[in-house]
Amino acid sequence: MSDTDPNCLFCKIVAGDIPAEIVSETEHTVAFRDVDPQAPTHVLVIPRVHQPDIASLVDAAPEAAVELLKETRRVAQADGHDSYRLVFNTGPDAHQTVFHVHGHVLAGRSLTWPPG
Ligand code: AMP
């Protein structure tokens, strides 16, 4: 699989071709605010490389997967939250709509369980 997909929305954000409210960037990751936030903090952390889901990222680029996980806590704490939820919707039945792996970091309100 190529490192980028010209038809992928999140690859276009990584490339700067589509604007996003970026909150952090590292060698392997970009984090930006979700355009339709479900909590006061709702940040998406993505790898620069195009992989459809977290399992394929772990196989293809484990260093990017580790950095992505580290970044999730950093972006939550940067917004002042030690409590947060990290969600990887994986597959259409799990409500994945963008097939470039992204961790949702949700914080800033009381979150219920189980999720819908
Ligand atoms: P998922 O349903 O897990 O695939 O999540 C995709 C997320 O991407 C949704 O929460 C969308 O609101 C978010 N999203 C879609 N387009 C954009 C965009 N251009 N900038 C920021 N977030 C986006």
Side-chain angles (χ1 to χ4, degrees):
M1 179 177 287
S2 164
D3 274 359
T4 61
D5 175 344
N7 299 313
C8 169
L9 172 66
F10 286 178
C11 284
K12 290 177 185 171
I13 288 177
V14 170
D17 294 338
I18 288 182
E21 191 180 340
I22 291 174
V23 297
S24 78
E25 293 190 71
T26 67
E27 179 184 356
H28 295 295
T29 69
V30 178
F32 52 93
R33 298 204 185 275
D34 197 293
V35 75
D36 181 21
Q38 302 301 310
T41 289
H42 187 173
V43 172
L44 303 176
V45 186
I46 70 172
R48 293 182 185 276
V49 294
H50 181 84
Q51 287 294 331
D53 57 41
I54 188 66
S56 57
L57 181 67
V58 167
D59 286 343
E63 68 288 356
V66 168
E67 194 166 276
L68 190 159
L69 291 172
K70 286 183 181 172
E71 276 301 286
T72 60
R73 181 167 68 175
R74 222 176 60 74
V75 299
Q77 289 182 333
D79 273 10
H81 307 299
D82 284 322
S83 277
Y84 61 94
R85 183 171 291 168
L86 173 59
V87 176
F88 290 94
N89 293 330
T90 305
D93 288 348
H95 202 281
Q96 186 175 6
T97 59
V98 178
F99 290 85
H100 179 130
V101 58
H102 49 282
H104 294 256
V105 177
L106 297 148
R109 68 173 171 85
S110 185
L111 296 165
T112 57
W113 192 263

PDB file of all heavy atoms in Angstrom, residues 55-79:
ATOM      1  N   ALA A  55      -5.262  -1.805  13.246  1.00  0.00           N
ATOM      2  CA  ALA A  55      -4.559  -3.090  13.139  1.00  0.00           C
ATOM      3  C   ALA A  55      -3.589  -3.074  11.959  1.00  0.00           C
ATOM      4  O   ALA A  55      -2.444  -3.537  12.079  1.00  0.00           O
ATOM      5  CB  ALA A  55      -5.564  -4.228  12.992  1.00  0.00           C
ATOM      6  N   SER A  56      -4.022  -2.514  10.839  1.00  0.00           N
ATOM      7  CA  SER A  56      -3.123  -2.473   9.680  1.00  0.00           C
ATOM      8  C   SER A  56      -1.984  -1.493   9.925  1.00  0.00           C
ATOM      9  O   SER A  56      -0.856  -1.702   9.450  1.00  0.00           O
ATOM     10  CB  SER A  56      -3.884  -2.143   8.399  1.00  0.00           C
ATOM     11  OG  SER A  56      -4.567  -0.943   8.522  1.00  0.00           O
ATOM     12  N   LEU A  57      -2.239  -0.426  10.682  1.00  0.00           N
ATOM     13  CA  LEU A  57      -1.146   0.502  11.009  1.00  0.00           C
ATOM     14  C   LEU A  57      -0.102  -0.187  11.890  1.00  0.00           C
ATOM     15  O   LEU A  57       1.102  -0.027  11.672  1.00  0.00           O
ATOM     16  CB  LEU A  57      -1.697   1.745  11.724  1.00  0.00           C
ATOM     17  CG  LEU A  57      -0.632   2.783  12.076  1.00  0.00           C
ATOM     18  CD1 LEU A  57      -0.032   3.425  10.818  1.00  0.00           C
ATOM     19  CD2 LEU A  57      -1.191   3.850  13.009  1.00  0.00           C
ATOM     20  N   VAL A  58      -0.555  -0.944  12.873  1.00  0.00           N
ATOM     21  CA  VAL A  58       0.384  -1.654  13.752  1.00  0.00           C
ATOM     22  C   VAL A  58       1.273  -2.581  12.933  1.00  0.00           C
ATOM     23  O   VAL A  58       2.484  -2.663  13.157  1.00  0.00           O
ATOM     24  CB  VAL A  58      -0.384  -2.430  14.844  1.00  0.00           C
ATOM     25  CG1 VAL A  58       0.528  -3.413  15.566  1.00  0.00           C
ATOM     26  CG2 VAL A  58      -1.015  -1.463  15.839  1.00  0.00           C
ATOM     27  N   ASP A  59       0.684  -3.261  11.954  1.00  0.00           N
ATOM     28  CA  ASP A  59       1.467  -4.179  11.114  1.00  0.00           C
ATOM     29  C   ASP A  59       2.426  -3.422  10.190  1.00  0.00           C
ATOM     30  O   ASP A  59       3.579  -3.818  10.023  1.00  0.00           O
ATOM     31  CB  ASP A  59       0.541  -5.036  10.245  1.00  0.00           C
ATOM     32  CG  ASP A  59      -0.170  -6.107  11.052  1.00  0.00           C
ATOM     33  OD1 ASP A  59       0.278  -6.388  12.182  1.00  0.00           O
ATOM     34  OD2 ASP A  59      -1.181  -6.639  10.549  1.00  0.00           O
ATOM     35  N   ALA A  60       1.947  -2.325   9.596  1.00  0.00           N
ATOM     36  CA  ALA A  60       2.728  -1.644   8.545  1.00  0.00           C
ATOM     37  C   ALA A  60       3.737  -0.652   9.107  1.00  0.00           C
ATOM     38  O   ALA A  60       4.808  -0.471   8.523  1.00  0.00           O
ATOM     39  CB  ALA A  60       1.784  -0.919   7.583  1.00  0.00           C
ATOM     40  N   ALA A  61       3.397   0.003  10.200  1.00  0.00           N
ATOM     41  CA  ALA A  61       4.247   1.093  10.707  1.00  0.00           C
ATOM     42  C   ALA A  61       4.102   1.167  12.225  1.00  0.00           C
ATOM     43  O   ALA A  61       3.476   2.090  12.759  1.00  0.00           O
ATOM     44  CB  ALA A  61       3.854   2.421  10.058  1.00  0.00           C
ATOM     45  N   PRO A  62       4.653   0.190  12.948  1.00  0.00           N
ATOM     46  CA  PRO A  62       4.439   0.154  14.401  1.00  0.00           C
ATOM     47  C   PRO A  62       4.925   1.406  15.111  1.00  0.00           C
ATOM     48  O   PRO A  62       4.318   1.830  16.108  1.00  0.00           O
ATOM     49  CB  PRO A  62       5.213  -1.093  14.856  1.00  0.00           C
ATOM     50  CG  PRO A  62       6.036  -1.536  13.692  1.00  0.00           C
ATOM     51  CD  PRO A  62       5.404  -0.982  12.466  1.00  0.00           C
ATOM     52  N   GLU A  63       5.989   2.043  14.602  1.00  0.00           N
ATOM     53  CA  GLU A  63       6.485   3.258  15.258  1.00  0.00           C
ATOM     54  C   GLU A  63       5.454   4.375  15.163  1.00  0.00           C
ATOM     55  O   GLU A  63       5.299   5.168  16.103  1.00  0.00           O
ATOM     56  CB  GLU A  63       7.840   3.682  14.663  1.00  0.00           C
ATOM     57  CG  GLU A  63       7.827   4.182  13.220  1.00  0.00           C
ATOM     58  CD  GLU A  63       7.597   3.095  12.159  1.00  0.00           C
ATOM     59  OE1 GLU A  63       7.519   1.906  12.507  1.00  0.00           O
ATOM     60  OE2 GLU A  63       7.487   3.461  10.975  1.00  0.00           O
ATOM     61  N   ALA A  64       4.713   4.428  14.066  1.00  0.00           N
ATOM     62  CA  ALA A  64       3.657   5.440  13.929  1.00  0.00           C
ATOM     63  C   ALA A  64       2.498   5.126  14.874  1.00  0.00           C
ATOM     64  O   ALA A  64       1.900   6.048  15.452  1.00  0.00           O
ATOM     65  CB  ALA A  64       3.168   5.499  12.488  1.00  0.00           C
ATOM     66  N   ALA A  65       2.188   3.843  15.039  1.00  0.00           N
ATOM     67  CA  ALA A  65       1.096   3.462  15.939  1.00  0.00           C
ATOM     68  C   ALA A  65       1.426   3.842  17.381  1.00  0.00           C
ATOM     69  O   ALA A  65       0.576   4.365  18.115  1.00  0.00           O
ATOM     70  CB  ALA A  65       0.833   1.958  15.824  1.00  0.00           C
ATOM     71  N   VAL A  66       2.661   3.601  17.786  1.00  0.00           N
ATOM     72  CA  VAL A  66       3.067   3.955  19.157  1.00  0.00           C
ATOM     73  C   VAL A  66       3.016   5.466  19.341  1.00  0.00           C
ATOM     74  O   VAL A  66       2.501   5.972  20.350  1.00  0.00           O
ATOM     75  CB  VAL A  66       4.477   3.403  19.459  1.00  0.00           C
ATOM     76  CG1 VAL A  66       5.026   3.998  20.753  1.00  0.00           C
ATOM     77  CG2 VAL A  66       4.435   1.876  19.541  1.00  0.00           C
ATOM     78  N   GLU A  67       3.518   6.193  18.371  1.00  0.00           N
ATOM     79  CA  GLU A  67       3.510   7.658  18.496  1.00  0.00           C
ATOM     80  C   GLU A  67       2.077   8.184  18.531  1.00  0.00           C
ATOM     81  O   GLU A  67       1.759   9.104  19.284  1.00  0.00           O
ATOM     82  CB  GLU A  67       4.290   8.293  17.347  1.00  0.00           C
ATOM     83  CG  GLU A  67       4.606   9.761  17.595  1.00  0.00           C
ATOM     84  CD  GLU A  67       5.655  10.255  16.625  1.00  0.00           C
ATOM     85  OE1 GLU A  67       6.853  10.066  16.901  1.00  0.00           O
ATOM     86  OE2 GLU A  67       5.274  10.830  15.584  1.00  0.00           O
ATOM     87  N   LEU A  68       1.207   7.591  17.709  1.00  0.00           N
ATOM     88  CA  LEU A  68      -0.202   8.002  17.708  1.00  0.00           C
ATOM     89  C   LEU A  68      -0.797   7.813  19.117  1.00  0.00           C
ATOM     90  O   LEU A  68      -1.461   8.712  19.652  1.00  0.00           O
ATOM     91  CB  LEU A  68      -0.971   7.175  16.676  1.00  0.00           C
ATOM     92  CG  LEU A  68      -2.402   7.588  16.336  1.00  0.00           C
ATOM     93  CD1 LEU A  68      -2.804   7.010  14.981  1.00  0.00           C
ATOM     94  CD2 LEU A  68      -3.402   7.136  17.384  1.00  0.00           C
ATOM     95  N   LEU A  69      -0.535   6.672  19.732  1.00  0.00           N
ATOM     96  CA  LEU A  69      -1.087   6.419  21.075  1.00  0.00           C
ATOM     97  C   LEU A  69      -0.537   7.413  22.097  1.00  0.00           C
ATOM     98  O   LEU A  69      -1.269   7.918  22.948  1.00  0.00           O
ATOM     99  CB  LEU A  69      -0.797   4.984  21.502  1.00  0.00           C
ATOM    100  CG  LEU A  69      -1.574   3.930  20.718  1.00  0.00           C
ATOM    101  CD1 LEU A  69      -1.084   2.527  21.070  1.00  0.00           C
ATOM    102  CD2 LEU A  69      -3.078   4.037  21.002  1.00  0.00           C
ATOM    103  N   LYS A  70       0.747   7.727  21.991  1.00  0.00           N
ATOM    104  CA  LYS A  70       1.318   8.726  22.908  1.00  0.00           C
ATOM    105  C   LYS A  70       0.660  10.085  22.703  1.00  0.00           C
ATOM    106  O   LYS A  70       0.383  10.813  23.655  1.00  0.00           O
ATOM    107  CB  LYS A  70       2.829   8.852  22.674  1.00  0.00           C
ATOM    108  CG  LYS A  70       3.632   7.694  23.198  1.00  0.00           C
ATOM    109  CD  LYS A  70       5.117   7.984  22.979  1.00  0.00           C
ATOM    110  CE  LYS A  70       5.966   6.824  23.469  1.00  0.00           C
ATOM    111  NZ  LYS A  70       7.389   6.987  23.105  1.00  0.00           N
ATOM    112  N   GLU A  71       0.395  10.425  21.458  1.00  0.00           N
ATOM    113  CA  GLU A  71      -0.182  11.729  21.155  1.00  0.00           C
ATOM    114  C   GLU A  71      -1.598  11.867  21.709  1.00  0.00           C
ATOM    115  O   GLU A  71      -2.025  12.971  22.047  1.00  0.00           O
ATOM    116  CB  GLU A  71      -0.205  11.968  19.635  1.00  0.00           C
ATOM    117  CG  GLU A  71       1.102  12.492  19.101  1.00  0.00           C
ATOM    118  CD  GLU A  71       1.497  13.805  19.745  1.00  0.00           C
ATOM    119  OE1 GLU A  71       0.901  14.826  19.421  1.00  0.00           O
ATOM    120  OE2 GLU A  71       2.406  13.791  20.599  1.00  0.00           O
ATOM    121  N   THR A  72      -2.344  10.761  21.774  1.00  0.00           N
ATOM    122  CA  THR A  72      -3.720  10.877  22.267  1.00  0.00           C
ATOM    123  C   THR A  72      -3.736  11.436  23.685  1.00  0.00           C
ATOM    124  O   THR A  72      -4.525  12.325  24.004  1.00  0.00           O
ATOM    125  CB  THR A  72      -4.459   9.529  22.199  1.00  0.00           C
ATOM    126  OG1 THR A  72      -3.784   8.562  22.983  1.00  0.00           O
ATOM    127  CG2 THR A  72      -4.588   9.045  20.764  1.00  0.00           C
ATOM    128  N   ARG A  73      -2.855  10.940  24.538  1.00  0.00           N
ATOM    129  CA  ARG A  73      -2.840  11.477  25.912  1.00  0.00           C
ATOM    130  C   ARG A  73      -2.343  12.916  25.917  1.00  0.00           C
ATOM    131  O   ARG A  73      -2.853  13.750  26.654  1.00  0.00           O
ATOM    132  CB  ARG A  73      -1.969  10.620  26.832  1.00  0.00           C
ATOM    133  CG  ARG A  73      -1.988  11.165  28.258  1.00  0.00           C
ATOM    134  CD  ARG A  73      -1.426  10.214  29.258  1.00  0.00           C
ATOM    135  NE  ARG A  73       0.009  10.037  29.076  1.00  0.00           N
ATOM    136  CZ  ARG A  73       0.761   9.309  29.892  1.00  0.00           C
ATOM    137  NH1 ARG A  73       0.218   8.691  30.916  1.00  0.00           N
ATOM    138  NH2 ARG A  73       2.049   9.185  29.670  1.00  0.00           N
ATOM    139  N   ARG A  74      -1.375  13.204  25.076  1.00  0.00           N
ATOM    140  CA  ARG A  74      -0.819  14.563  25.063  1.00  0.00           C
ATOM    141  C   ARG A  74      -1.879  15.589  24.654  1.00  0.00           C
ATOM    142  O   ARG A  74      -1.971  16.659  25.242  1.00  0.00           O
ATOM    143  CB  ARG A  74       0.386  14.626  24.117  1.00  0.00           C
ATOM    144  CG  ARG A  74       1.543  15.436  24.663  1.00  0.00           C
ATOM    145  CD  ARG A  74       2.750  15.387  23.751  1.00  0.00           C
ATOM    146  NE  ARG A  74       2.491  15.912  22.427  1.00  0.00           N
ATOM    147  CZ  ARG A  74       2.349  17.204  22.147  1.00  0.00           C
ATOM    148  NH1 ARG A  74       2.423  18.103  23.105  1.00  0.00           N
ATOM    149  NH2 ARG A  74       2.125  17.600  20.914  1.00  0.00           N
ATOM    150  N   VAL A  75      -2.683  15.260  23.633  1.00  0.00           N
ATOM    151  CA  VAL A  75      -3.670  16.250  23.186  1.00  0.00           C
ATOM    152  C   VAL A  75      -4.780  16.403  24.233  1.00  0.00           C
ATOM    153  O   VAL A  75      -5.294  17.510  24.423  1.00  0.00           O
ATOM    154  CB  VAL A  75      -4.249  15.944  21.790  1.00  0.00           C
ATOM    155  CG1 VAL A  75      -3.156  15.932  20.737  1.00  0.00           C
ATOM    156  CG2 VAL A  75      -5.053  14.674  21.746  1.00  0.00           C
ATOM    157  N   ALA A  76      -5.143  15.325  24.924  1.00  0.00           N
ATOM    158  CA  ALA A  76      -6.144  15.446  25.998  1.00  0.00           C
ATOM    159  C   ALA A  76      -5.598  16.336  27.115  1.00  0.00           C
ATOM    160  O   ALA A  76      -6.278  17.267  27.588  1.00  0.00           O
ATOM    161  CB  ALA A  76      -6.517  14.064  26.533  1.00  0.00           C
ATOM    162  N   GLN A  77      -4.368  16.084  27.512  1.00  0.00           N
ATOM    163  CA  GLN A  77      -3.777  16.878  28.600  1.00  0.00           C
ATOM    164  C   GLN A  77      -3.563  18.322  28.172  1.00  0.00           C
ATOM    165  O   GLN A  77      -3.697  19.230  28.985  1.00  0.00           O
ATOM    166  CB  GLN A  77      -2.467  16.237  29.057  1.00  0.00           C
ATOM    167  CG  GLN A  77      -2.709  14.930  29.821  1.00  0.00           C
ATOM    168  CD  GLN A  77      -1.435  14.286  30.342  1.00  0.00           C
ATOM    169  OE1 GLN A  77      -0.359  14.476  29.786  1.00  0.00           O
ATOM    170  NE2 GLN A  77      -1.572  13.495  31.391  1.00  0.00           N
ATOM    171  N   ALA A  78      -3.271  18.546  26.908  1.00  0.00           N
ATOM    172  CA  ALA A  78      -3.077  19.922  26.427  1.00  0.00           C
ATOM    173  C   ALA A  78      -4.357  20.736  26.558  1.00  0.00           C
ATOM    174  O   ALA A  78      -4.313  21.959  26.727  1.00  0.00           O
ATOM    175  CB  ALA A  78      -2.598  19.909  24.984  1.00  0.00           C
ATOM    176  N   ASP A  79      -5.516  20.052  26.511  1.00  0.00           N
ATOM    177  CA  ASP A  79      -6.808  20.722  26.715  1.00  0.00           C
ATOM    178  C   ASP A  79      -7.218  20.697  28.186  1.00  0.00           C
ATOM    179  O   ASP A  79      -8.334  21.108  28.524  1.00  0.00           O
ATOM    180  CB  ASP A  79      -7.898  20.051  25.869  1.00  0.00           C
ATOM    181  CG  ASP A  79      -7.989  20.627  24.458  1.00  0.00           C
ATOM    182  OD1 ASP A  79      -7.088  21.406  24.071  1.00  0.00           O
ATOM    183  OD2 ASP A  79      -8.958  20.301  23.736  1.00  0.00           O
TER     184      ASP A  79
END
